[in-house]
Amino acid sequence: MHHFEVKRGKMTCEGVPVRRIAEAVGTPVYVYSHATLSHHYKVFDDAFAGIPHVICYSMKANSSGSVIRTFTNLGSGVDIVSGGELARALDAGAPPSKIVYSGVGKQIWEIEEALRRGILMFNVESREELETIDAVAGRMRKRAPIAIRVNPDVDPKTHPYISTGLKKNKFGIRIGDAIREYEWAARRKHIEVVGVDCHIGSQLTEISPFVDAAGRIRLLVDRLLRKGLPIRLVDIGGGLGITYREELPPHPKQYADAVARAFSGLEITLVLEPGRVLVGNAGVLLTRVLYTKAAPSLKGKGKKHFFIVDAAMNDLARPSLYGSYHAIVFAGPAAGKTVTADVVGPICESGDFLAKDRRLPMARPGDLLAVMSAGAYGFSMSSNYNSRPRAAEVMVSGRRFEVVRERESLRELAGGERIPSFLSPGRRKAR
Ligand code: LLP
């Protein structure tokens, strides 16, 4: 469910015609619907109502302070993977007691900062990381609360780049080695074992991998409890998929029921790290058509059209990186006859496309298009490739909209740059 609608050839986000946003702010621009974000959070939270749980929004999906704050205002915590995310989560009102810190490569300064702030737990991914956390906590005269991220070796049946719970992946500690690592961790003076963690992948559209992983984690939790380890938090990660095209992912309730069943009878608090399911369909990327052109079709009949738009792979990397599908919708009237088109950006790579071989009405320069389901891993993965300033971001609530991040300026593009003295004009030798 989302609050973007096309009626009589005009797209609105909640009560705002998106054309107005494009005119006021320019394009490309990300537009987020506050009502959709809140609705998704509440549905997810309600699904777990019968079970003690903490939702830690996985902010890598969308790190906009306004998006994070939307969730923290509703009681959410945050799942972070860097010191940068820690700072931004705190700025957006996340209570440290609801922050979990995941990721395979935590640096010392990042561990120090998380300990100083008093986060809920570190999800630890290797023995060496455990040793480092123990040493850092020791120097700070603290005890670090930890879970071990266990790799349950379950196939999430998703894109290989976003599968994380297979034994060939870099993530976590093999489930077969977990007991040994837990026993080792429990003997460290500056480590407090509090939980078990796993995350098997992203954009999962079936329930069975979650059920398999939860079943394996349950067995492990039972064994750890029998050994006297005080496990009180079970973090089952994120990963619930959304509909980009025709996928039919499980409803959060179905997912919650399956998870609840796996951990029934235990006195634990579940930690959940949803990202995409909260934000994916709550955002679109608005872009304008700059030019159109046609090439002979490869199949020998008809023409292949290119709609060259002002958004590109630097703004939304998912199609180029994973071959992901994002629906393209005309945000204004579309009168042309239907053609087959690639929607491409201005970047100098053939991999720069937002959509391939789509049946769309013929576009004209100036037409406004919406790239749908762009709220997750859209802006947060954007870059400055080809020295393109990053897009603006807007949040809509009811009939109002506000810019929540200005379009990057040309000055900011070279913000931290210095020209070394040996290249400065005064030093150049005269010929
Ligand atoms: N927790 C951990 C430890 C994760 O690694 C991730 C995502 C999540 C939670 C949130 O997963 P979600 O609920 O959003 O599926 N850039 C890719 C997705 C990468 C996901 C990485 N980890 C994409 O655009 O599809």
Side-chain angles (χ1 to χ4, degrees), residues 58 60-61 79 102 149 162 199 201-203 237-240 273-277 318 322 377 381:
S58 192
K60 64 173 83 63
D79 161 46
S102 311
R149 176 165 176 182
I162 53 179
H199 170 83
S202 193
Q203 182 56 10
L240 190 56
E273 301 173 355
R276 187 188 321 260
V277 71
R318 303 191 71 254
Y322 315 112
Y377 306 105
M381 290 176 70

